[in-house]
Amino acid sequence: GNNHGLSDKSELHQTLKNLSLKLDDLGTCNDLIAKHGAALQRSLNELDGLKIPPESGEKLKAVNERATLFRITSNAMINACRDFLELAELHSRKWQRALQYEQEQRAHLEETIEQLAKQHNSLERAFRSAPGRSNNPTKSFSEGSLSTQKGEDSEEDEDTEYFDAMEDATSFITVITEAKEDRKAEGGTGAGSVDWASSDNTSEVLDAASLVPKVSSKVKRRVSIPNKPNYSLNLWSIMKNCIGRELSRIPMPVNFNEPLSMLQRLTEDLEYHQLLDNAVTCASSVEQMCLVAAFSVSSYSTTVHRIAKPFNPMLGETFELDRLDDMGLRSLCEQVSHHPPSAAHYVCSKHGWSLWQEITISSKFRGKYISIMPLGAIHLEFQASGNHYVWRKSTSTVHNIIVGKLWIDQSGDIEIVNHKTNDRCQLKFLPYSYFSKEAARKVTGVVSDGQGKAQYVLSGSWDEQMECAKIVQSSPSSPSSDGKQKTVYQTLPAKLLWKKYPLPENAENMYYFSELALTLNELEDGVAPTDSRLRPDQRLMEKGRWDEANAEKQRLEEKQRSTRRRRLESLTPSSGCSTEAEKEADAYLPLWFEKKRDPLTGEMACIYKGGYWEAKERQDWHMCPNIF
């Protein structure tokens, strides 16, 4: 169910309408019972006056008594109903009024906020184009919310882009054909097609993908964390001064956090690593692409109820996941920049794949909603085949910041490219729309080979499952009423690629964490002193001691600021560096990662330079900064 304000309202309206209809029915029954009761009484009275043999008289008396009892009972019921009716009518009026009031308040609030956001935007633009600004960028501005090198005039484009995505739903239509026919349809175009036609012996890899049980681990890991305490604090009271600002610059109390850091959240992308382990054995690269696509969608499945924000990691904070035994992989994240917040991640699996990414989270507060844009490429390489996939994450939006229950949505497109074969996958996340007939959280996609020929159709939802269906024929449809032409794909019956694991018991009181998420912040021996598990404010928050956690958070942030000041002072004043950001980058070097130009994307990105697991082996952490 979508608990979005709108559907709540219409539901309440509907309920009230149904109630009043039922009340009308009760009234009608009431009148009928009274009318028929009176008629029955009359008939009985008439019978009384007749001369009849004695035994009939006995019978008649019995009928009379029963009728009287029935009348008394009916009267009691009628009175009860009348009371109910009066009460219900009274309350229904109250509800209607309350609802009316709520609606007006909400509309009013949203207008006010939109006004504010617009004013803020125009002020900012005015400020940017102010004469004489360019040659004298004042300190306050560079400290302010919107100073990135790109010159943030792209604000408006971001908005328009977000709404454009909504209009165009899926651009193709899928028709399932029966296996027997397409053997004829395809003729004998090589073994591949015949294989598919007898659709049951398809690559077992795709079949097995979703159903592999989790490997049990030798280590006993925790299956719960303390229940989330019930502190009330209104998000809006903090956010209202911050429209248009970078979220990472808004000082937020832990009350809106979940007890995990952004590094742990990134690591959670590996929850369905099984998909990649299976993809290793795919003979065909387009089949492999299907599993990679399912993997890229699966990383959103954890977000559906997770509206609390992860802790923004301290600069130099790390998080390791050393799970060779049960997950077959080792993963390391490091926070490599503080403004903008940026984390580098490197994973190596013993099954023969590695994944790396540097993600910068750009999150803007836009009045009614927050948009979260993870920037940066994700790389995945399969060692044996050399298949090298690259994709980027889509935009997430958190709605109902002001009123109602927060909910999260994903929108936009993801393109996954295999740089070795040039196979591509286009995934489309359809944004939720109250008026759309599409299912919520829907994802569709098409996988095409290096020649650009469509091979598979993908469909599903990012919080539940993904399926793929082999395309046997494609043809253009007749243009629709709006002149847009959609391709019609004839496919074999779909196969399940991925299915979300059910949430653990009591998840709703444990921040909706998945089974994996519950284990991430569990204390472990031998981790680096910079590991998120050792971060004190997050630990206090997990234990439910929020007031102490808030105090601790302030101490840590102050410590980080003074470290930064010292670092900037130690720089020689003139090194030709103009902007704060460049000075910052010069002054700070990550420990386990280094900035390199990515040969495939041409961007600078932090790449793992090695050494962490060796240091862990030796338990020699002398090089780690003291950040907590």
Side-chain angles (χ1 to χ4, degrees):
N2 292 309
N3 41 10
H4 312 160
L6 276 169
S7 53
D8 279 354
K9 261 185 251 176
S10 55
E11 221 170 276
L12 193 43
H13 270 310
Q14 201 47 50
T15 312
L16 290 178
K17 210 157 62 194
N18 289 344
L19 269 178
S20 55
L21 287 173
K22 289 275 174 276
L23 292 177
D24 290 347
D25 294 350
L26 277 176
T28 315
C29 293
N30 182 357
D31 298 344
L32 283 173
I33 290 178
K35 194 168 115 191
H36 295 315
L40 182 62
Q41 207 54 51
R42 274 201 302 282
S43 308
L44 287 170
N45 289 343
E46 284 163 14
L47 281 178
D48 252 355
L50 298 177
K51 300 202 168 32
I52 40 175
E55 79 236 49
S56 310
E58 288 302 310
K59 287 253 167 64
L60 198 67
K61 207 157 157 194
V63 171
N64 239 327
E65 279 167 5
R66 282 182 191 160
T68 310
L69 274 175
F70 184 72
R71 194 183 70 229
I72 293 170
T73 316
S74 304
N75 278 341
M77 181 166 164
I78 286 165
N79 290 335
C81 286
R82 190 178 296 122
D83 294 348
F84 179 76
L85 195 91
E86 277 171 10
L87 265 174
E89 277 180 333
L90 188 80
H91 281 287
S92 149
R93 278 197 297 276
K94 261 194 210 151
W95 285 343
Q96 291 279 13
R97 275 202 303 275
L99 193 66
Q100 193 58 39
Y101 177 72
E102 282 294 310
Q103 274 172 317
E104 284 163 6
Q105 283 300 87
R106 181 169 181 151
H108 176 67
L109 257 175
E110 295 194 341
E111 271 165 35
T112 315
I113 283 137
E114 219 134 276
Q115 283 312 108
L116 277 173
K118 283 187 185 132
Q119 289 169 9
H120 182 95
N121 254 345
S122 51
L123 272 173
E124 215 145 50
R125 270 201 302 282
F127 177 58
R128 253 184 242 128
S129 54
R133 217 207 94 224
S134 46
N135 49 19
N136 173 23
T138 51
K139 172 100 168 92
S140 66
F141 182 75
S142 63
E143 284 288 278
S145 50
L146 292 170
S147 57
T148 60
Q149 285 78 44
K150 289 194 303 295
E152 282 270 350
D153 299 300
S154 54
E155 278 271 288
E156 292 77 60
D157 313 345
E158 282 169 24
D159 265 339
T160 45
E161 174 184 282
Y162 173 75
F163 291 106
D164 285 350
M166 298 205 165
E167 292 148 31
D168 180 30
T170 347
S171 48
F172 56 85
I173 299 159
T174 314
V175 183
I176 296 176
T177 57
E178 279 317 305
K180 284 169 282 311
E181 296 159 31
D182 41 69
R183 195 170 294 161
K184 293 202 272 298
E186 286 273 274
T189 50
S193 60
V194 182
D195 241 15
W196 269 104
S198 44
S199 73
D200 292 333
N201 65 10
T202 354
S203 139
E204 286 76 58
V205 177
L206 287 186
D207 280 351
S210 49
L211 310 166
V212 182
K214 298 196 223 174
V215 188
S216 66
S217 129
K218 295 178 272 303
V219 182
K220 258 269 155 277
R221 301 190 184 274
R222 65 181 184 182
V223 290
S224 68
I225 56 174
N227 279 7
K228 175 180 178 176
N230 201 354
Y231 285 95
S232 66
L233 185 61
N234 178 358
L235 181 57
W236 180 235
S237 59
I238 290 173
M239 302 283 289
K240 58 177 184 280
N241 311 323
C242 308
I243 292 183
R245 276 176 76 179
E246 247 313 323
L247 272 195
S248 63
R249 294 190 181 263
I250 300 176
M252 296 278 256
V254 301
N255 305 43
F256 302 108
N257 285 19
E258 54 177 30
L260 286 180
S261 82
M262 197 62 216
L263 304 180
Q264 289 161 316
R265 260 328 264 279
L266 257 185
T267 307
E268 254 186 275
D269 285 1
L270 303 172
E271 181 160 12
Y272 297 95
H273 61 89
Q274 202 79 60
L275 291 166
L276 302 182
D277 302 344
N278 292 334
V280 171
T281 58
C282 279
S284 126
S285 63
V286 281
E287 267 178 41
Q288 190 175 65
M289 175 67 90
C290 290
L291 287 165
V292 171
F295 174 79
S296 75
V297 173
S298 74
S299 69
Y300 292 99
S301 65
T302 53
T303 63
V304 64
H305 302 291
R306 302 266 293 273
I307 47 199
K309 100 192 224 330
F311 277 78
N312 197 11
M314 312 305 288
L315 188 57
E317 190 174 321
T318 58
F319 180 72
E320 66 158 68
L321 192 65
D322 193 352
R323 301 279 286 263
L324 283 170
D325 60 342
D326 58 333
M327 292 169 73
L329 55 81
R330 278 180 150 178
S331 156
L332 176 69
C333 287
E334 180 181 359
Q335 187 74 357
V336 293
S337 153
H338 184 59
H339 280 309
S342 185
H345 186 195
Y346 177 76
V347 192
C348 191
S349 162
K350 66 177 184 197
H351 297 286
W353 55 266
S354 51
L355 179 147
W356 64 98
Q357 55 184 346
E358 184 191 342
I359 296 288
T360 302
I361 300 285
S362 160
S363 43
K364 282 279 165 51
F365 173 47
R366 302 193 180 284
K368 276 191 250 185
Y369 59 90
I370 293 174
S371 51
I372 300 163
M373 294 151 288
L375 312 173
I378 302 166
H379 290 260
L380 167 66
E381 189 168 20
F382 291 94
Q383 272 84 39
S385 63
N387 285 337
H388 185 150
Y389 297 86
V390 180
W391 70 94
R392 294 164 193 276
K393 287 189 181 254
S394 70
T395 299
S396 305
T397 313
V398 182
H399 296 269
N400 278 4
I401 299 299
I402 308 145
V403 220
K405 196 168 149 98
L406 294 174
W407 57 280
I408 195 161
D409 199 18
Q410 311 294 345
S411 57
D413 298 348
I414 293 181
E415 183 182 42
I416 307 175
V417 180
N418 177 346
H419 283 273
K420 183 177 179 208
T421 59
N422 211 24
D423 298 343
R424 281 166 196 267
C425 171
Q426 289 286 350
L427 284 172
K428 197 174 205 49
F429 287 71
L430 302 183
Y432 174 81
S433 154
Y434 187 62
F435 307 104
S436 157
K437 55 187 183 306
E438 297 286 9
R441 315 195 180 100
K442 185 170 167 177
V443 184
T444 59
V446 177
V447 172
S448 39
D449 60 24
Q451 284 64 56
K453 184 170 189 287
Q455 296 285 351
Y456 284 92
V457 170
L458 303 174
S459 67
S461 56
W462 51 262
D463 63 330
E464 254 166 63
Q465 61 174 57
M466 287 299 287
E467 296 179 333
C468 71
K470 174 74 177 144
I471 297 172
V472 285
Q473 214 181 347
S474 54
S475 51
S477 74
S478 45
S480 55
S481 50
D482 56 3
K484 287 202 184 121
Q485 197 165 20
K486 298 196 170 195
T487 311
V488 179
Y489 291 122
Q490 282 190 7
T491 70
L492 296 176
K495 296 190 171 328
L496 188 64
L497 286 168
W498 159 75
K499 197 173 176 51
K500 182 183 158 124
Y501 300 133
L503 283 173
E505 211 177 324
N506 192 34
E508 63 284 359
N509 295 314
M510 301 187 294
Y511 309 88
Y512 287 98
F513 281 180
S514 68
E515 205 176 307
L516 174 66
L518 287 171
T519 66
L520 293 180
N521 204 41
E522 189 170 5
L523 284 166
E524 280 182 31
D525 294 336
V527 302
T530 47
D531 196 282
S532 307
R533 297 172 179 89
L534 303 174
R535 179 170 170 169
D537 53 350
Q538 190 172 307
R539 179 65 55 195
L540 286 164
M541 191 229 156
E542 180 185 284
K543 290 180 173 158
R545 293 154 57 183
W546 286 12
D547 295 336
E548 296 167 68
N550 275 323
E552 191 57 14
K553 184 167 185 275
Q554 283 178 322
R555 178 189 72 80
L556 284 171
E557 283 166 355
E558 191 36 59
K559 176 170 177 167
Q560 176 161 268
R561 278 193 289 273
S562 60
T563 309
R564 174 168 171 264
R565 279 196 296 272
R566 278 201 303 280
R567 199 169 49 240
L568 292 178
E569 283 158 14
S570 69
L571 281 185
T572 46
S574 76
S575 51
C577 274
S578 46
T579 67
E580 288 282 309
E582 282 171 31
K583 266 167 60 180
E584 190 84 355
D586 269 16
Y588 183 75
L589 290 175
L591 189 52
W592 307 109
F593 290 80
E594 55 188 340
K595 272 245 182 286
K596 288 205 164 140
R597 189 165 300 285
D598 179 331
L600 288 178
T601 64
E603 300 164 359
M604 293 301 287
C606 276
I607 308 292
Y608 180 55
K609 60 182 187 193
Y612 181 89
W613 302 106
E614 294 74 3
K616 182 179 182 181
E617 197 64 33
R618 298 192 306 271
Q619 279 304 299
D620 166 16
W621 299 114
H622 73 276
M623 66 303 270
C624 290
N626 168 356
I627 56 173
F628 301 138

